[in-house]
Amino acid sequence: MAENPYQNPLDEVVNKFSGISRERRFALSCYIPVFNVVTCPLTAVRLVESRFCLLHARQGLVLFSLWLLSIVIAILSPVASLMLWGVVLVLHIAGFVIAYQMKETPIPIITNFALKIPEKYLYDLLTGKK
C-alpha cells in the first residue's frame, strides 16, 4: 500500500524523539552550540533534582564560555581562535554523545571547571529564590 502523500515527513522524527526521556532531552540540549546559553539555565531550573542534568548543564555553560573566549581571542589571533573553536566543537560533540548514552563521564578539563559552579548558587541566581 502506498504511503500517505499528505503525511508530514517530520512526524517520524517527532515520534523518534518523543520516546527519549525528559532528562536525556534536556541533557542533549545543553550541548547544542550557542543555543546552550538558553537551555543550560533552563535545565538547571527545571530539573534541579536531577544530578545527571545539572552536571550536563554546568558543562554546557563552561563550553559556552569557551566559545565566547574564542571570539575574544579572534581579535588577537584568528588562527588561535579557529583552533580553539575546533576544540570546543569536538567537546560539544563528545558531551552530546555522553549525554545521549545517559552517562556522567567527565570531559577532561571541562568537568573540573563545571564542578566548581555550585548547584545551589546556580539555582538561586536563576530563580531568585533563597
Side-chain angles (χ1 to χ4, degrees), residues 57-71:
R58 291 188 290 180
Q59 288 182 162
L61 287 173
V62 172
L63 288 173
F64 180 75
S65 64
L66 282 176
W67 182 78
L68 287 177
L69 179 66
S70 71
I71 291 173

Side-chain angles (χ1 to χ4, degrees), residues 36-108:
N36 61 350
V37 73
V38 173
T39 59
C40 289
L42 183 64
T43 300
V45 171
R46 292 292 200 138
L47 297 170
V48 72
E49 72 283 347
S50 171
R51 193 176 130 228
F52 169 75
C53 286
L54 284 175
L55 173 70
H56 289 289
R58 291 188 290 180
Q59 288 182 162
L61 287 173
V62 172
L63 288 173
F64 180 75
S65 64
L66 282 176
W67 182 78
L68 287 177
L69 179 66
S70 71
I71 291 173
V72 172
I73 291 176
I75 296 168
L76 303 173
S77 172
V79 174
S81 174
L82 282 174
M83 289 174 21
L84 179 60
W85 188 81
V87 169
V88 171
L89 188 60
V90 168
L91 292 173
H92 273 282
I93 293 168
F96 193 85
V97 170
I98 291 168
Y100 185 77
Q101 295 172 347
M102 294 289 290
K103 294 183 178 178
E104 294 182 20
T105 307
I107 300 172

Side-chain angles (χ1 to χ4, degrees), residues 92-127:
H92 273 282
I93 293 168
F96 193 85
V97 170
I98 291 168
Y100 185 77
Q101 295 172 347
M102 294 289 290
K103 294 183 178 178
E104 294 182 20
T105 307
I107 300 172
I109 300 171
I110 301 302
T111 304
N112 294 338
F113 286 113
L115 292 177
K116 291 181 181 178
I117 302 171
E119 294 171 10
K120 179 138 177 53
Y121 173 75
L122 186 62
Y123 180 77
D124 292 345
L125 179 70
L126 294 171
T127 61

Side-chain angles (χ1 to χ4, degrees), residues 13-52:
V13 174
V14 169
N15 289 336
K16 280 185 179 180
F17 283 110
S18 64
I20 296 176
S21 72
R22 182 173 184 227
E23 282 187 338
R24 185 180 283 178
R25 279 186 299 209
F26 271 95
L28 289 173
S29 69
C30 291
Y31 294 105
I32 300 173
V34 182
F35 186 61
N36 61 350
V37 73
V38 173
T39 59
C40 289
L42 183 64
T43 300
V45 171
R46 292 292 200 138
L47 297 170
V48 72
E49 72 283 347
S50 171
R51 193 176 130 228
F52 169 75

Side-chain angles (χ1 to χ4, degrees), residues 1-20:
M1 188 167 180
E3 287 187 39
N4 182 357
Y6 301 108
Q7 184 177 0
N8 187 351
L10 293 176
D11 285 344
E12 184 179 334
V13 174
V14 169
N15 289 336
K16 280 185 179 180
F17 283 110
S18 64
I20 296 176

